[in-house]
Amino acid sequence: MIILNATKFCIATFLSNLGDVIYSVVIAWYIADVLQSGFLMGAVLFSLGLSRFIAGLLCGPVIDRIGAKLFLWLSDMIRAIIVLVLAILLWDHTISFVILIMVSVLFGAIDAFYWSASESIKPRLVATEYLSRLNSQYFTVVRTTIILGPLIAAWMVESISIEHSLIAISILYVFSTFLILFIDSKNSHLENMNDNNDKTSYFSDLRLGFSF
């Protein structure tokens, strides 16, 4: 069960991160090729990175309280919907500077929740002695998508158009959500983890995180 959990988690991470990398390349390609605006490309990528950074600072205590698995599932599902809506807007030629910025901000914030939840859930998937192995597999998967993502994105844009590329990205996220549903994040080695009745507030946890 532990090995199966780790495998499903790593495959879901591969699909989700591959979607992220391809999305970034496809959007940059669209702005450069269709809108031909270096300023807009910089603004979109900046807003994406900034929202990831800000949300990443704030989301940890929320994830710990509500549950990492739920946030993984929601993050992938919401991104699937966002990318699908973006594809429809591109087909209708109703995309605008404001919409692209708003999508980038939302996408970046959801990204931050996903990656924070990924780090939070790992100790729940395997026992402590297997955690370093899972981390190694996890980062190998992430680095692999960073290498493959731009190559796949370039091929997709040239072969199936930007709109169809966005639909393919949405499908990657959907497959990831499917795998996440079947991850058991309540393994026996952590069955007493939440028995502590000493509850802390969101802001006290946030202050503790900033102090580190």
Side-chain angles (χ1 to χ4, degrees):
M1 176 62 72
I2 289 176
I3 295 175
L4 186 59
N5 258 340
T7 300
K8 287 184 286 190
F9 172 69
C10 286
I11 295 174
T13 299
F14 176 83
L15 295 173
S16 184
N17 196 58
L18 187 63
D20 278 356
V21 176
I22 295 175
Y23 170 81
S24 297
V25 175
V26 168
I27 288 300
W29 195 307
Y30 169 77
I31 295 172
D33 184 53
V34 178
L35 301 181
Q36 298 183 346
S37 171
F39 171 78
L40 179 55
M41 182 188 294
V44 166
L45 296 179
F46 173 77
S47 59
L48 184 67
L50 183 62
S51 61
R52 278 174 179 162
F53 174 75
I54 294 174
L57 295 174
L58 304 174
C59 63
V62 177
I63 292 170
D64 289 340
R65 279 165 168 71
I66 298 178
K69 179 180 174 179
L70 177 60
F71 271 102
L72 287 176
W73 188 87
L74 284 174
S75 297
D76 273 338
M77 184 55 67
I78 294 173
R79 283 182 294 178
I81 294 171
I82 290 173
V83 174
L84 187 61
V85 171
L86 192 58
I88 294 171
L89 292 176
L90 289 179
W91 259 318
D92 287 343
H93 304 289
T94 55
I95 202 74
S96 67
F97 173 82
V98 175
I99 291 176
L100 281 174
I101 295 296
M102 289 175 61
V103 168
S104 294
V105 170
L106 182 59
F107 200 93
I110 295 170
D111 253 3
F113 275 89
Y114 180 90
W115 292 112
S116 294
S118 293
E119 293 298 327
S120 178
I121 201 173
K122 283 190 287 186
R124 293 180 171 274
L125 301 180
V126 298
T128 304
E129 58 267 29
Y130 296 107
L131 190 55
S132 60
R133 185 182 302 178
L134 176 58
N135 281 327
S136 177
Q137 294 170 345
Y138 173 82
F139 286 111
T140 298
V141 164
V142 171
R143 292 186 182 101
T144 301
T145 59
I146 291 173
I147 294 171
L148 293 179
L151 297 176
I152 297 174
W155 174 81
M156 289 170 64
V157 170
E158 289 290 336
S159 302
I160 62 173
S161 81
I162 290 175
E163 292 83 0
H164 286 95
S165 298
L166 291 173
I167 293 175
I169 295 168
S170 181
I171 292 172
L172 288 175
Y173 288 131
V174 170
F175 277 123
S176 180
T177 62
F178 180 78
L179 285 169
I180 291 168
L181 284 174
F182 294 97
I183 291 175
D184 178 13
S185 60
K186 297 179 180 179
N187 279 333
S188 58
H189 67 281
L190 290 173
E191 60 185 1
N192 297 319
M193 185 175 182
N194 294 319
D195 288 345
N196 186 3
N197 292 323
D198 296 330
K199 302 297 183 180
T200 57
S201 70
Y202 168 82
F203 290 105
S204 65
D205 286 351
L206 192 64
R207 285 194 297 271
L208 181 61
F210 277 115
S211 69
F212 281 106

